[in-house]
């Protein structure tokens, strides 16, 4: 397994250096990918013959847990290059079934690590995720949970879009996401003082950002969070040579923007974050954050050029949100002047914006997979949905252009027609190219 991990790590890294043409990648690398998948299947089945990890002696369980981490990594490498042949789909089913009993015996910290690895690799095993939640809820009820472990678990569940994922109908005893997340919020509120120390401020900030990604706005927790004198704490940390990192300050800023946008007029709180402070942070973030350009975005922009639709490539809103392509009707004015009545944001979402759903709780999608078993379902991850939701709350109309849809369009004309169908009607009516 370790050899296969290193091999797939090298293959996926090498392929990622080139323009992402999945069909070309599969043609040129199909022989080696097929061979690696066959070797992986054989190695896994040898491992599986030893029985579920939790039934083995303790000394072997430690090795089995390490094996599971390697298995997830290898599956993630196949997913990162979009290689989903029929054999992959069947193998994923075996891994999910084998690993379900594995989670019960894991220490909480290892369970947190396992969930975060799934999130990092953009793998969403629905049944295993809900099984993990059941174990976590039991440990919460027993008082056997470090608060920092719970924060990392919630972060992974946020990326895996747990809050919008009901348990599979046949999964008896599963907890509904709303019930579990409510219990977590109550647990955090009771133990808030454990986080209220300067050394754990980055952890606290990560927690609050995670709650927003989960689409949760617990007013009492945010009142405590913004009751801290953050400008003073940031300056104090800088003076003692332990400055809060850029990521923490960025999350502080985005938490405030997202909370106010999400709560609207109900967002009343006492806070040290004045308008001047927020504007300064916003300026610093805009200076420090460099746009990540991709050939996929350029292809979409060139298609808009052919359609004669006015747009701004990599446009940043006045709040600081970076939009891949901002689109608007010419009759409404320039997008740069913030006077557009209904601005349109085209979010060009590549593979890293999506989760590969390993076992599906959606009955309709599962039925479709039965007729197309070589296709795994993709869904946008939690952070991508959070950005789309934030843009909508800030007044933007979001159009998502996914890599899966785009790669299914073979000619420039097909891409033009598809993109044309996604553009809001008020924009099309004002562009001369759409005149009858």
């Amino acid at each position: 397994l370790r050899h296969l991990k290193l091999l797939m790590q090298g293959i996926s890294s090498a392929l990622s250096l080139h323009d992402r043409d999945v069909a070309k990648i599969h043609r040129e690398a199909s022989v080696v990918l097929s061979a690696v998948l066959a070797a992986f299947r054989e190695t896994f089945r040898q491992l599986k013959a030893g029985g579920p990890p939790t039934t083995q002696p303790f000394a072997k369980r430690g090795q089995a847990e390490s094996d599971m981490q390697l298995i997830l990594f290898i599956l993630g490498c196949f997913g990162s290059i979009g290689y989903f042949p029929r054999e992959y789909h069947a193998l994923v089913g075996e891994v999910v079934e084998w690993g379900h009993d594995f989670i019960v015996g894991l220490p909480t910290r290892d369970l947190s690590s396992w969930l975060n690895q799934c999130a990092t690799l953009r793998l969403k095993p629905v049944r295993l995720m809900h099984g993990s939640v059941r174990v976590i809820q039991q440990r919460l009820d027993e008082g056997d949970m470090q608060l920092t472990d719970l924060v990392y678990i919630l972060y992974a569940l946020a990326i895996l879009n747990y809050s919008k994922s009901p348990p599979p109908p046949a999964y008896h005893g599963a907890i509904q996401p709303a019930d579990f997340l409510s219990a977590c919020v109550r647990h955090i509120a009771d133990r808030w003082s454990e986080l209220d120390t300067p050394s754990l401020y980055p952890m606290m900030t990560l927690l609050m950002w995670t709650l927003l990604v989960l689409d949760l706005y617990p007013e009492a927790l945010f009142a405590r969070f913004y009751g801290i004198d953050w400008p003073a704490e940031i300056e104090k940390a800088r003076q003692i040579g332990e400055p809060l990192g850029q990521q923490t300050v960025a999350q502080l800023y985005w938490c405030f923007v997202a909370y106010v946008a999400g709560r609207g007029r109900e967002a009343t709180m006492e806070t040290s974050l004045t308008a001047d402070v927020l504007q300064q942070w916003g300026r610093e973030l805009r200076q420090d954050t460099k746009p990540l350009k991709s050939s996929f975005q350029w292809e979409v922009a060139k298609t808009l050029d052919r359609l004669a639709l006015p747009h701004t490539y990599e446009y940043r809103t006045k709040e600081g949100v970076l939009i891949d392509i901002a689109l608007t009707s010419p009759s409404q004015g320039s997008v740069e002047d913030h006077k557009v009545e209904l601005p349109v944001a085209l979010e060009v979402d590549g593979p890293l914006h999506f989760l590969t759903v390993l076992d599906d709780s959606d009955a309709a999608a599962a039925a479709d997979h039965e007729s197309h078993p070589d296709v795994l379902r993709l869904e946008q991850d939690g952070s991508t949905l959070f950005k789309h939701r934030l843009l909508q709350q800030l007044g933007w109309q979001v159009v998502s252009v996914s890599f899966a849809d785009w790669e299914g369009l073979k000619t420039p004309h097909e891409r033009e027609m598809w993109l044309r169908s996604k553009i809001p009607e008020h924009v099309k009516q004002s562009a001369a190219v759409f005149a009858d």
Side-chain angles (χ1 to χ4, degrees):
L1 280 173
R2 286 181 173 81
H3 292 161
L4 290 171
K5 173 194 171 183
L6 291 172
L7 184 58
M8 280 306 300
Q9 191 173 22
I11 292 172
S12 61
S13 296
L15 293 177
S16 68
L17 296 176
H18 301 280
D19 284 345
R20 186 175 178 81
D21 183 340
V22 172
K24 183 178 179 182
I25 287 173
H26 294 172
R27 286 196 305 271
E28 296 183 350
S30 61
V31 174
V32 69
L33 289 173
S34 178
V36 172
L37 186 60
F40 175 51
R41 181 173 61 245
E42 180 61 27
T43 303
F44 169 71
R45 287 175 178 172
Q46 291 177 13
L47 180 66
K48 180 182 174 184
T54 52
T55 66
Q56 297 176 3
F58 180 79
K60 291 185 178 180
R61 276 179 54 197
Q63 181 61 45
E65 290 164 8
S66 176
D67 290 340
M68 192 60 168
Q69 302 292 334
L70 293 171
I71 287 169
L72 287 173
F73 187 93
I74 295 168
L75 289 176
C77 286
F78 281 109
S80 70
I81 57 176
Y83 186 70
F84 302 127
R86 189 181 300 267
E87 295 83 358
Y88 179 92
H89 188 275
L91 185 56
V92 162
E94 290 186 47
V95 171
V96 167
E97 287 301 315
W98 178 78
H100 186 257
D101 292 334
F102 165 77
I103 57 176
V104 177
L106 275 180
T108 302
R109 185 147 299 178
D110 290 342
L111 184 58
S112 169
S113 175
W114 179 83
L115 285 171
N116 274 277
Q117 187 170 24
C118 286
T120 300
L121 298 175
R122 296 303 191 263
L123 296 174
K124 181 177 180 176
V126 177
R127 188 164 173 258
L128 268 70
M129 180 178 70
H130 285 283
S132 301
V133 165
R134 187 163 58 178
V135 173
I136 295 162
Q137 179 68 67
Q138 182 179 355
R139 294 176 186 176
L140 277 176
D141 293 341
E142 295 170 352
D144 184 22
M145 176 76 67
Q146 293 288 329
L147 196 53
T148 52
D149 290 337
L150 181 58
V151 172
Y152 285 127
I153 287 168
L154 287 174
Y155 171 79
L157 292 175
I159 300 300
L160 295 174
N161 198 22
Y162 166 74
S163 61
K164 309 298 183 185
S165 304
Y171 196 79
H172 302 295
I175 304 167
Q176 292 297 324
D179 295 335
F180 173 72
L181 294 173
S182 295
C184 289
V185 168
R186 290 194 299 271
H187 189 83
I188 291 166
D190 292 341
R191 300 175 61 181
W192 180 262
S193 60
E194 297 178 30
L195 291 174
D196 197 1
T197 178
S199 63
L200 289 180
Y201 281 163
M203 179 71 66
M204 180 192 291
T205 307
L206 174 65
L207 167 65
M208 304 311 287
W209 182 85
T210 296
L211 292 178
L212 291 170
V213 174
L214 288 164
D215 204 13
L216 299 174
Y217 301 83
E219 188 172 347
L221 287 186
F222 276 94
R224 296 184 189 182
F225 180 60
Y226 285 112
I228 297 171
D229 188 348
W230 285 110
E233 292 296 337
I234 291 172
E235 178 61 22
K236 190 187 305 180
R238 188 188 64 79
Q239 289 180 356
I240 64 174
E242 298 179 2
L244 294 176
Q246 180 185 349
Q247 182 178 1
T248 299
V249 176
Q251 287 175 340
L252 269 171
Y253 176 79
W254 290 123
C255 279
F256 187 85
V257 171
Y259 181 79
V260 172
R263 295 284 292 173
R265 295 179 180 178
E266 299 177 8
T268 56
M269 67 178 81
E270 294 184 6
T271 176
S272 58
L273 298 182
T274 63
D276 290 342
V277 170
L278 289 168
Q279 288 175 5
Q280 178 186 343
W281 285 1
R283 285 193 300 269
E284 292 173 354
L285 290 174
R286 286 191 285 274
Q287 292 170 357
D288 294 338
T289 305
K290 305 298 182 185
L292 297 176
K293 299 181 179 180
S294 72
S295 58
F296 181 17
Q297 284 180 233
W298 276 114
E299 287 178 8
V300 176
K302 289 176 182 176
T303 304
L304 290 172
D305 286 337
R306 292 195 299 271
L307 292 173
L309 282 172
H311 60 274
T312 302
Y313 187 75
E314 292 181 336
Y315 171 74
R316 197 179 293 276
T317 72
K318 59 184 178 182
E319 296 84 8
V321 184
L322 186 65
I323 295 173
D324 293 334
I325 301 173
L327 176 67
T328 186
S329 164
S331 64
Q332 293 173 314
S334 171
V335 73
E336 285 89 345
D337 61 14
H338 306 292
K339 296 179 181 178
V340 181
E341 293 180 7
L342 185 60
V344 178
L346 262 65
E347 283 297 293
V348 183
D349 295 330
L352 293 181
H353 291 272
F354 289 86
L355 303 165
T356 302
V357 183
L358 299 188
D359 51 331
D360 208 336
S361 60
D362 187 308
D368 184 59
H369 290 167
E370 298 224 344
S371 57
H372 303 283
D374 55 338
V375 178
L376 290 177
R377 188 168 74 90
L378 301 176
E379 71 176 38
Q380 289 173 320
D381 66 19
S383 58
T384 299
L385 292 173
F386 167 66
K387 182 184 178 183
H388 291 186
R389 189 167 63 246
L390 175 59
L391 283 170
Q392 290 167 348
Q393 291 164 345
L394 293 173
W396 290 79
Q397 187 170 345
V398 178
V399 176
S400 177
V401 182
S402 78
F403 80 100
D405 289 333
W406 196 255
E407 288 169 356
L409 306 169
K410 304 304 181 185
T411 67
H413 178 68
E414 286 182 357
R415 291 177 174 178
E416 290 170 17
M417 296 302 294
W418 181 88
L419 195 56
R420 174 177 177 170
S421 71
K422 297 292 183 180
I423 302 303
E425 196 63 32
H426 77 278
V427 176
K428 290 194 290 189
Q429 289 176 353
S430 61
V433 73
F434 292 111
D436 189 348

